[in-house]
Amino acid sequence: MRDSILKALQKQGHVSGEQLGQRFNISRTAVWKHVKELRRIGYEIDSSPRTGYSFIKSPDLVIPEEILHGLHTSIIGRRILYREEVASTQDEAGEAARTGIEEGAVVISERQTRGRGRKGRLWASPPREGVYFSAILRPNLRPSQIIQVPLIAGVAVCKGIRKVTPLEPRIKWPNDITIGGKKVAGILAEMSCDIDTVDHIIVGIGVNVNTQCSELPEPAREIATSLAERCGEYVSRVRLVQSILTEFDALYTTFVASGFNALREEWKALDNTIGFWVKVSDVNEEMKGRALDIDGEGFLLVRKENGDVKRIISGDVSLIGRRN
Ligand code: BTN
């Protein structure tokens, strides 16, 4: 009901309590209670005895009412689970996945107290500044194909940002999203599988949107940037989430139908790794070489100094020399 009243107010600009009451078959007092609740969560709604209620402004909270308003995805984001604060959206999404929630459901929060990044790192998640969400996917994949899902999520994040800002982020393999060499977004994929089949994958996406990076803890402060810092103006988190979900949904649909190879060129068009001298660090070893390409399965091909070409499955990649 609250959602319907909000939609009516947003659509009509202003409307009286009586009209709303008639339309939804509730009393004027009930309308007033819903408006009060909308104000409590940050909507600006004026009221005057002459014109009734007037919609002024949304609070840019990443609540389902806002995100679902005008979102037309077929799988990802059809259901949004909103939490004001969580330890990590990954944990909440994992829990929801285990209880059988449908594919594409998304857990989103204004704040994470224990947001995590790849390799067990912390993902600083200050309240209402960034975007923090996890999507539950159930693709029919072998565990070896799992790397491909965060790769396409990276493309979705880049395209999503490009659609709502003038910025041109790029991807550092496998899925660091960077602008001017600094990290603006990251993707963490966690899966549950048995020997040869994947049950579900939780794809966590964190974007520094209006984040004041100078306030972030070390080492993020040094290596991170935010969209607002780069484009010099406030960026709507709701529009950004809608944009990323829309892109992710379209890419994921292609991926499920045709596989990663169908999206490889799109990934390469946004890539900022191939051609660079890179250092690759893994738990077992560190190596240097030139990043040559990604293959049809999404692995990075690196030519080592001794001429051998190595297929990199996971690890941290740093760019150490210019492309040529
Ligand atoms: C990385 O680049 O290290 C990955 C960062 C992923 C952060 C997101 S924020 C939403 C989701 N919840 C988490 O705890 N982590 C991911």
Side-chain angles (χ1 to χ4, degrees):
M1 180 55 66
R2 191 181 76 188
D3 194 19
S4 309
I5 290 180
L6 177 63
K7 276 197 192 130
L9 278 167
Q10 282 175 325
K11 199 157 167 224
Q12 285 174 250
H14 45 247
V15 54
S16 75
E18 194 168 338
Q19 284 169 319
L20 285 170
Q22 277 169 3
R23 171 118 150 242
F24 299 114
N25 207 14
I26 55 174
S27 68
R28 279 169 52 202
T29 317
V31 171
W32 173 78
K33 280 191 184 147
H34 286 299
V35 170
K36 197 170 152 205
E37 180 56 18
L38 287 167
R39 283 178 176 149
R40 192 191 64 76
I41 57 177
Y43 286 92
E44 273 183 49
I45 298 167
D46 259 5
S47 55
S48 91
R50 215 168 39 83
T51 51
Y53 297 112
S54 306
F55 181 80
I56 310 288
K57 174 158 159 265
S58 295
D60 200 28
L61 292 178
V62 287
I63 51 181
E65 289 92 328
E66 288 288 313
I67 292 172
L68 293 172
H69 185 73
L71 184 74
H72 303 290
T73 55
S74 52
I75 305 171
I76 302 178
R78 302 213 13 100
R79 176 148 169 207
I80 308 279
L81 305 177
Y82 174 80
R83 308 279 182 264
E84 174 101 35
E85 177 182 308
V86 288
S88 162
T89 55
Q90 292 292 100
D91 299 337
E92 300 276 321
E95 196 52 48
R98 281 187 287 280
T99 57
I101 201 162
E102 74 266 31
E103 177 171 57
V106 166
V107 177
I108 191 160
S109 186
E110 305 289 352
R111 168 176 197 218
Q112 299 185 113
T113 52
R114 280 202 304 279
R116 58 178 180 269
R118 292 175 64 228
K119 318 262 171 212
R121 295 181 193 116
L122 168 93
W123 185 263
S125 314
R128 300 188 183 188
E129 291 185 15
V131 149
Y132 322 108
F133 68 87
S134 302
I136 297 144
L137 301 177
R138 301 183 187 278
N140 188 6
L141 294 180
R142 282 171 276 118
S144 63
Q145 294 173 290
I146 228 69
I147 182 192
Q148 298 166 359
V149 176
L151 289 182
I152 63 163
V155 176
V157 173
C158 273
K159 289 178 81 179
I161 294 173
R162 285 168 180 239
K163 290 257 162 81
V164 296
T165 70
L167 300 168
E168 297 189 339
R170 304 194 75 88
I171 311 172
K172 179 162 72 72
W173 188 93
N175 39 49
D176 281 349
I177 312 301
T178 62
I179 302 177
K182 291 203 159 188
K183 184 154 166 170
V184 73
I187 293 151
L188 174 69
E190 295 174 325
M191 66 167 165
S192 161
C193 63
D194 59 32
I195 281 266
D196 52 6
T197 49
V198 175
D199 179 65
H200 63 259
I201 309 177
I202 309 292
V203 181
I205 295 179
V207 188
N208 300 326
V209 187
N210 299 304
T211 315
Q212 269 195 287
C213 295
S214 58
E215 304 287 311
L216 294 178
E218 293 287 5
R221 193 185 307 168
E222 300 301 322
I223 56 170
T225 188
S226 71
L227 300 181
E229 279 180 4
R230 285 288 150 165
C231 67
E233 58 184 40
Y234 181 85
V235 174
S236 159
R237 293 181 311 139
V238 169
R239 282 194 62 213
L240 180 69
V241 172
Q242 290 174 325
S243 182
I244 294 174
L245 291 178
T246 303
E247 298 298 333
F248 197 8
D249 186 65
L251 290 158
Y252 184 68
T253 304
T254 305
F255 172 69
V256 169
S258 315
F260 177 73
N261 223 0
L263 298 167
R264 180 167 163 253
E265 289 307 318
E266 202 161 352
W267 188 91
K268 285 176 73 172
L270 294 166
D271 158 66
N272 195 31
T273 324
I274 295 169
F276 275 93
W277 279 98
V278 294
K279 184 169 83 181
V280 185
S281 328
D282 208 340
V283 263
N284 303 320
E285 65 163 326
E286 190 175 290
M287 55 159 271
K288 288 182 186 162
R290 183 181 293 282
L292 296 178
D293 205 348
I294 57 160
D295 68 15
E297 293 192 87
F299 298 131
L300 184 66
L301 305 176
V302 176
R303 185 188 295 121
K304 298 208 292 190
E305 279 152 316
N306 68 6
D308 291 352
V309 175
K310 196 147 184 222
R311 205 166 170 245
I312 310 293
I313 293 171
S314 75
D316 269 342
V317 172
S318 358
L319 309 182
I320 51 175
R322 303 270 349 132
R323 265 181 213 251
N324 53 34

